[in-house]
Amino acid sequence: MRLVSYGKPRAWTSGIELGESVVETTEVATLAGWSEENVAAAGSNRTLLELGPDALRQLERVVRDRTVHLKLMPRASLRLGPPIPDPQKIVCIGLNYHDHAEEVGATPPAAPIFFAKYPNSLVGAKDDVVPPRDTSKVDYEAELAVVIGTRGRYIEESSALDHVAGVMVFNDVSARDLQLANQLWTGGKAIDTFGPCGPALVTIDEISDIQNLTVRTRVDGDVLQDGNTSSMIFSVRQIIAFLSRIMTLEPGDIIATGTPAGVASAHKPARFLKAGNIVEVEIEGVGTLRNRIVEAF
């Protein structure tokens, strides 16, 4: 199943993508016979995930029931927002691909390196990215993001994927000059619009092998990143187990799992993003982001 958010900022509505159409999740929840309280929870993907995996399975049974009449909306007519616009946490993993660590001259870390972004960074799959006025080194980072579905602490690697609701495409846009001005990186990462994601949250049951997905970035049609999640230094299972030793992972939490080689700063000469560039980030079987870089307001 593919969950989307649609509508407008600060008023996103949860929807279920069906081919080229979308149905409002609360409609499906009503048809499933849910309580008024749970139908209301289905209006947001984060609160929907809090109802647990059985709730998602119930919704999927309804949308696959050919005898049920659903009010379908053309997906192309909707503005899609971040699938989870209001996470409690956005945790990003740095230097998590062998080839990326090599291209920037870094020794592969002994443990996952992580930093935070915040909901202000999140935008949808076709929204504009607006760099701040104080940067001239805007970079892209194609990443697989996993979204937690089941709360957990001290999670074992063997059961880590049981805590994942699904995955989505994520672009960890970075201002390298602002990032490197601060040892903690946050100044170049937690910037408004610097977290395009989506276009949908694809439930984990639709992903055959999370550690064998092609990850690509195109800028104005040129392929600049072409990697595979098999090249991660720390697997998704390992990342979840590691983070859960430090913090409780909650439904809706987003974990961006790192980027492969080919970032703009590593090209010779560097290929930093400029106003007018179209950045496409694609992950096999998950979807594609297509975001335009615009001038600062």
Side-chain angles (χ1 to χ4, degrees), residues 152-273:
R153 185 82 196 274
Y154 302 114
I155 298 169
E156 298 292 335
E157 282 185 32
S158 59
S159 61
L161 294 187
D162 295 340
H163 291 262
V164 174
V167 302
M168 61 184 182
V169 187
F170 193 90
N171 187 354
D172 177 21
V173 183
S174 307
R176 297 301 186 195
D177 40 6
L178 302 181
Q179 174 186 345
L180 299 178
N182 186 311
Q183 191 174 6
L184 299 180
W185 295 1
T186 309
K189 296 284 191 175
I191 296 171
D192 291 354
T193 75
F194 269 34
C197 58
L201 171 60
V202 181
T203 52
I204 192 67
D205 58 293
E206 295 201 8
I207 305 301
S208 59
D209 185 354
I210 203 167
Q211 295 301 156
N212 186 25
L213 298 174
T214 301
V215 180
R216 290 194 180 95
T217 296
R218 294 181 293 272
V219 177
D220 297 339
D222 294 338
V223 177
L224 301 184
Q225 286 185 291
D226 191 357
N228 191 285
T229 58
S230 62
S231 298
M232 287 183 183
I233 296 170
F234 301 101
S235 70
V236 171
R237 291 178 184 271
Q238 290 173 314
I239 291 167
I240 291 171
F242 173 83
L243 291 174
S244 74
R245 301 205 311 264
I246 299 165
M247 64 190 81
T248 300
L249 298 177
E250 301 282 357
D253 285 353
I254 297 170
I255 303 172
T257 58
T259 197
V263 297
S265 55
H267 283 268
K268 307 296 183 194
R271 295 193 58 164
F272 291 119
L273 299 173

Side-chain angles (χ1 to χ4, degrees), residues 26 29 34-43 48 51:
T26 54
W34 288 10
S35 68
E36 195 171 300
E37 180 182 5
N38 285 354
V39 169
L48 171 62
L51 298 178

Side-chain angles (χ1 to χ4, degrees), residues 117-176:
K117 285 200 176 198
Y118 307 100
N120 63 290
S121 292
L122 298 178
V123 292
K126 294 185 179 180
D127 288 336
D128 291 342
V129 172
V130 189
R133 299 170 185 170
D134 301 326
T135 181
S136 60
K137 295 184 177 181
V138 179
D139 210 337
Y140 48 82
E141 292 192 11
E143 308 204 7
L144 175 74
V146 297
V147 176
I148 297 298
T150 304
R151 188 175 190 267
R153 185 82 196 274
Y154 302 114
I155 298 169
E156 298 292 335
E157 282 185 32
S158 59
S159 61
L161 294 187
D162 295 340
H163 291 262
V164 174
V167 302
M168 61 184 182
V169 187
F170 193 90
N171 187 354
D172 177 21
V173 183
S174 307
R176 297 301 186 195

